[in-house]
Amino acid sequence: MTPVTGTLRRIGTSTSVVLIGAPGSGKGTHGVVLAERLGVPYLSTGDLLRDHVARGTTLGRQVGAYLDRGELVHDDLMVAVVGERLAELEGRGGHVLDGFPRTVAQAEAAERLVPGGPAEVVVFLALPDDVARERLAQRADGRSDDADGATVEHRLEVFHVETEPLVGFYRARGLLRSVDADQPPDAVLTAIESVLRL
Ligand code: AP5
């Protein structure tokens, strides 16, 4: 596959992308590859929190039940955790953020955390709920929040109520690029790369 080239919009020398989308829309699948191609760190808040839960850290004990129920972790806690991590990643040429911000309150806080905002481009991976349900039902990695249908339904509902308003938030800032995530993975990645070439 060819690397991302072209005139990706930059702040100074950085390349920062935020991925938003429903559970199962492919944020993790494509975020990892995209970060590799852009040569910037990939940060998934879901992976970060699951790692804390698995290690039994103080943070992990605080958030484990939220993840199991498909509830969002409190905004203040997330902003503190992500703020610390972004500070560590400073000077690495940008980032691909998967899972943050996830509420308008987090997005507003992120604008205060990162000079110029956390993203030069926000990619919205658009996917019908039915396809998301199928993908999560088929996932074989045994995540506690995929295990039963009611939790998956709740995650979709939380997405529509809490996270989808970010589409309008970032559209109003001229940062939003929408991609049809209901295509084979290679086609989704190609579409993401094409919206990054501005
Ligand atoms: P998080 O880990 O972010 O979970 P999520 O948003 O529910 O997303 P998923 O990881 O399920 O899906 P994805 O979009 O990454 O898709 P994936 O690539 O995995 O968050 C988990 C929890 O952490 C939250 O519920 C919350 O409790 C907490 N949390 C995290 N961030 C937070 C925040 N900022 N504030 C508060 N709480 C927070 O793909 C899914 C499956 O589909 C895979 O099997 C994949 O192989 C397959 N697939 C992907 N793309 C395709 C394709 N194009 N075609 C076919 N299959 C595909």
Side-chain angles (χ1 to χ4, degrees), residues 64 95 97 185 190:
H95 50 246
L97 271 180
T190 301

Side-chain angles (χ1 to χ4, degrees), residues 21-37:
S25 59
K27 302 182 294 298
T29 301
H30 302 298
V32 171
V33 181
L34 188 64
E36 198 179 291
R37 291 185 180 193

Side-chain angles (χ1 to χ4, degrees), residues 19 29 55 104 119 135 159 170-171 183-184 189:
L19 299 177
T29 301
R55 289 188 289 118
V104 169
R135 288 185 186 174
F159 166 73
Y170 284 119
R171 184 177 286 129
Q183 315 179 64
L189 191 60

